[in-house]
Amino acid sequence: MPRTLVVVRAGALTTVQDLGRPGYAHLGVPRSGALDEPAHRLANRLLGNPESAATLETTLTGCAVRVSAPCVVVITGAPCAVTIDGAPAPWGTPVRVPADAVMDAGPATYGVRSYLAFAGGVQVAAELGSRATDLLSGLGPAPLREGDELPVGSPRPAGGPPAAEAARWPAPPSELVLPVVTGPRADWFTPDARHTLLTGTYHVSPKGNRIGLRLEGPALERSREGELPSEGMTLGAVQVPPDGRPVVFLADHPVTGGYPVIGVVPPEHLAPAAQALPGTPVRFVPAGPEPQHGC
């Protein structure tokens, strides 16, 4: 009999995510995938799944699912209250959920995104080699709704890593510090703007999403008028729209854009951004020696 899960409570935004679709930018397809990739990978390791197995990524309010067959499940990422048919269960530790039981991952107690992983992985159909939901391109399954039924794969033989690994998971950030490599369009901004980027304090805006981390704070003044022709955008690009407030591109970002990019945050430093609540202070710091401008 097929193993499935049924969505009982979808939450604010719950999507299927894996490691995304790298290598398709030339086709206009973003990478997508789990925003907090270390949390996604950890959840799969705790179950003995391949790290590429699909999980459910929740946003702020969690979600609840009913499993059709006994299943081992773990929740990582943002801490939350976990229950199985109303009884308390541990967060960050694999637990066995009986057939027809409802596992509820409650609202995040700190942070933004939790990851529900199932032994065997979520087995929705892959598109371009990935099961990830991409909010910008529309690839992958739609964000989950109550009543949706998703297939679950068969678990690997027992013998995964110890659950103690979950205890090493870092807390979501109280301050988000993002290393940035300046360029390629830093020369579109005044010297004062470049200084402000690396010395000012920004805050996470509630208007952000999986496409980009929007920031509130000092505007960055441009040194030239006009707009750029659309050009390629990379994960972590710090794009500056007309209001002067930077936007850090995340997993579902567009692959081209016309606003100047003042710098790029290396992708390996982006995971904490997935857990930064609105209002979290943000500072940019040089990722390496800053180039000298002028003669």
Side-chain angles (χ1 to χ4, degrees):
M1 181 176 180
R3 293 156 45 88
T4 63
L5 61 86
V6 175
V7 179
V8 175
R9 181 176 64 84
L13 175 66
T14 300
T15 58
V16 177
Q17 296 298 336
D18 54 19
L19 298 181
R21 302 178 179 85
Y24 291 100
H26 64 294
L27 300 178
V29 177
R31 178 181 180 276
S32 194
L35 283 193
D36 190 340
E37 189 174 302
H40 165 89
R41 290 178 180 272
L42 172 61
N44 279 318
R45 288 200 305 271
L46 290 169
L47 297 176
N49 288 342
E51 291 188 355
S52 59
T55 63
L56 301 185
E57 178 185 274
T58 71
T59 308
L60 290 173
T61 58
C63 74
V65 298
R66 183 187 303 277
V67 297
S68 67
C71 188
V72 180
V73 185
V74 69
I75 301 173
T76 62
C80 62
V82 181
T83 61
I84 299 174
D85 278 348
W91 171 91
T93 300
V95 293
R96 185 174 178 81
V97 182
D100 296 322
V102 173
M103 179 172 226
D104 192 300
T109 55
Y110 192 60
V112 178
R113 294 174 174 87
S114 301
Y115 292 83
L116 281 69
F118 304 82
V122 178
Q123 293 286 322
V124 296
E127 296 184 68
L128 292 180
S130 170
R131 297 180 169 89
T133 299
D134 181 344
L135 298 181
L136 189 64
S137 73
L139 289 172
L144 300 189
R145 298 176 297 179
E146 280 79 7
D148 283 352
E149 186 172 5
L150 307 177
V152 177
S154 299
R156 285 181 170 183
E165 183 176 3
R168 300 203 299 267
W169 183 243
S174 57
E175 180 186 48
L176 188 60
V177 179
L178 297 176
V180 63
V181 179
T182 56
R185 300 297 179 185
D187 59 344
W188 278 60
F189 297 88
T190 66
D192 283 348
R194 298 194 293 266
H195 178 75
T196 296
L197 178 71
L198 297 175
T199 59
T201 297
Y202 292 87
H203 291 85
V204 175
S205 166
K207 297 179 181 178
N209 52 28
R210 282 184 47 85
I211 295 170
L213 184 76
R214 295 185 176 273
L215 302 179
E216 298 170 342
L220 302 178
E221 184 182 4
R222 283 170 49 167
S223 61
R224 60 175 78 179
E225 300 297 327
E227 299 299 335
L228 286 161
S230 289
E231 58 185 1
M233 293 288 146
T234 186
L235 181 65
V238 183
Q239 191 183 63
V240 184
D243 68 1
R245 273 72 184 185
V247 179
V248 182
F249 277 171
L250 301 179
D252 288 359
H253 70 86
V255 297
T256 61
Y259 299 138
V261 171
I262 193 170
V264 178
V265 177
E268 63 268 22
H269 296 289
L270 289 175
Q275 302 297 358
L277 287 160
T280 299
V282 180
R283 287 190 298 115
F284 293 96
V285 298
E290 282 297 297
Q292 298 298 310
H293 298 283
C295 298

